[in-house]
Amino acid sequence: FFLSLKLENKTKGKLQKQICQVVLDHFEKQYTAELGDAWSSVREALTSPWCWQHALLLNRFSRRPGLESSLAEQGYHPAFPAALPYLPAAFRCYIRTAPGRFPAQKHQPGKLKEYYLLNAASLLPVLALEVKDGEDVLDLCAAPGGKSVAILQCACPGHFHCNEYDDLRSRWLEQTIESFIPDALINLVMVSKLDGRKIGDLQPEFYDKVLVDAPCSNDRSWLFSADPQQAVLRLMQRKELSSLQFQLLRSAIKALRPGGSLVYSTCTLSKAENSDVIDLILNSCRNVMPVDISEMARGVSQEFTFLSGTQQHELLVLPEKGRAWGPMYVAKLKKTSST
């Protein structure tokens, strides 16, 4: 009873969110042109926060007996099928069709959390990266830390570098790692506050895998901007994001060893920040090639809706009612040589 009451109260709180009209008008114009007929169902899902779903990523370092059976009783089921190209046995994520949010666990120093609440689509970049034990891994824009935590549910890297340039977000990242990773593994994780655009020059060809979960127009949160003036400023500065994203990708490529791979992701629908940035990288960097992720996309198509017509090295998750995951853009590249 108390759990359902909490979920109900959370949902009622979401109902009181106000849509920022200036952002919606901007999105209406852009995404009608870019997404065509798909935009109307996406708009309906994005502007209806009471229909949003939340996933639970279980922490393999703090398993509570009975949690999975308790989730099953409440209508949760595994988010990802076993037949995926890459799905480590310890990686457990649960979702359900019904909207609402499982109660969050508070940060307690010295005590590990049992699960991380997140948008299930945000785990697709981690599954696309396919990290294996012993590999050197860089999470270039790591805060708030959900994808870093997810990577450590998949494998134990030889060296794991989590970077976040923003000071406040970096503290958030450190707290997340402290909440999910036991002391014995903390030594594997290095948290830094470097400018991601410079890491490639500072640590050239050091990493086997790099995740670039880039700063972007966060469509979901921007739609509910409380300050209209801030919203207008964000929309004006939006054009500059693709340049930053391109520079972060160039840095990531420099940081990769030849034969290493990177995954680029955003939580926006914007073509300028997604496929346009990847196309620019592929056209300007001769030592990078696209990697086919269509098998993964097909494997998860029961739970996620994708934009049709994308290339084999990319996918774009479109939120819709009943499958309100995303937006999430994912693209995978491989470094072929040093130059």
Side-chain angles (χ1 to χ4, degrees):
F1 169 74
F2 288 111
L3 175 61
S4 60
L5 193 64
K6 277 186 180 178
L7 289 172
E8 192 181 328
N9 288 340
K10 289 261 184 190
T11 307
K12 281 181 178 171
K14 282 269 173 70
L15 280 165
Q16 289 158 18
K17 279 187 166 190
Q18 292 294 308
I19 292 166
C20 183
Q21 194 61 45
V22 68
V23 175
L24 182 59
D25 291 346
H26 182 91
F27 285 179
E28 189 77 40
K29 186 176 178 182
Q30 180 181 351
Y31 294 148
T32 299
E34 290 182 10
L35 302 178
D37 293 341
W39 167 239
S40 60
S41 58
V42 170
R43 179 188 57 210
E44 189 181 3
L46 286 178
T47 56
S48 307
W50 55 90
C51 83
W52 294 357
Q53 299 144 276
H54 293 82
L56 284 89
L57 175 67
L58 303 194
N59 186 8
R60 68 172 170 144
F61 307 113
S62 178
R63 284 273 159 89
R64 188 211 313 168
L67 177 58
E68 289 179 82
S69 56
S70 171
L71 288 170
E73 286 167 13
Q74 294 172 58
Y76 285 87
H77 61 274
F80 302 103
L84 286 185
Y86 173 85
L87 190 71
F91 187 86
R92 306 278 184 85
C93 176
Y94 284 85
I95 58 175
R96 67 175 184 179
T97 308
R101 183 172 172 159
F102 206 72
Q105 292 181 311
K106 289 196 171 84
H107 172 72
Q108 294 178 277
K111 187 177 179 185
L112 297 181
K113 292 185 180 182
E114 295 163 350
Y115 53 83
Y116 190 98
L117 297 171
L118 76 179
N119 185 318
S122 67
L123 295 172
L124 294 175
V126 173
L127 294 178
L129 194 60
E130 299 188 11
V131 173
K132 296 176 179 66
D133 288 346
E135 289 184 324
D136 294 322
V137 181
L138 167 63
D139 189 349
L140 191 66
C141 314
K147 292 180 182 67
S148 298
V149 166
I151 286 169
L152 288 165
Q153 303 306 310
C154 294
C156 284
H159 173 80
F160 190 24
H161 182 175
C162 301
N163 181 69
E164 178 53 54
Y165 188 42
D166 182 87
D167 193 53
L168 187 64
R169 286 172 62 83
S170 182
R171 288 202 293 274
W172 189 3
L173 169 65
E174 286 178 341
Q175 189 178 90
T176 300
I177 289 170
E178 185 187 321
S179 292
F180 285 90
I181 310 305
D183 290 343
L185 282 179
I186 288 288
N187 295 336
L188 293 177
V189 184
M190 181 181 88
V191 177
S192 67
K193 290 190 281 188
L194 301 168
D195 183 338
R197 295 169 293 185
K198 297 175 181 173
I199 285 181
D201 291 323
L202 294 170
Q203 295 181 303
E205 301 193 349
F206 189 84
Y207 298 99
D208 301 297
K209 302 280 170 70
V210 178
L211 176 63
V212 184
D213 187 43
C216 67
S217 315
N218 186 329
D219 295 354
R220 217 179 247 254
S221 67
W222 282 24
L223 267 172
F224 295 92
S225 302
D227 182 347
Q229 286 181 312
Q230 186 198 40
V232 171
L233 189 62
R234 275 175 167 172
L235 292 172
M236 287 170 63
Q237 294 171 338
R238 195 179 193 203
K239 293 171 188 160
E240 298 163 21
L241 281 168
S242 57
S243 172
L244 170 62
Q245 291 154 351
F246 178 79
Q247 291 172 65
L248 289 168
L249 271 171
R250 286 290 297 264
S251 175
I253 291 162
K254 287 180 184 177
L256 266 182
R257 293 182 179 128
S261 55
L262 74 81
V263 167
Y264 173 78
S265 60
T266 73
C267 54
T268 180
L269 298 162
S270 175
K271 186 172 174 286
E273 298 175 51
N274 294 339
S275 53
D276 287 357
V277 175
I278 293 295
D279 288 346
L280 191 58
I281 281 288
L282 288 170
N283 290 330
S284 61
C285 298
R286 292 181 183 176
N287 62 337
V288 174
M289 61 178 283
V291 177
D292 188 344
I293 57 170
S294 59
E295 190 183 347
M296 181 187 79
R298 281 193 300 274
V300 299
S301 59
Q302 288 281 101
E303 302 292 353
F304 300 94
T305 302
F306 297 110
L307 178 68
S308 59
T310 56
Q311 297 182 75
Q312 289 187 322
H313 62 271
E314 61 180 353
L315 58 82
L316 177 61
V317 179
L318 301 178
E320 61 178 30
K321 283 191 172 178
R323 300 201 286 188
W325 312 114
M328 181 59 55
Y329 176 80
V330 184
K332 187 170 185 179
L333 307 174
K334 182 177 181 177
K335 184 172 180 175
T336 56
S337 63
S338 295
T339 54

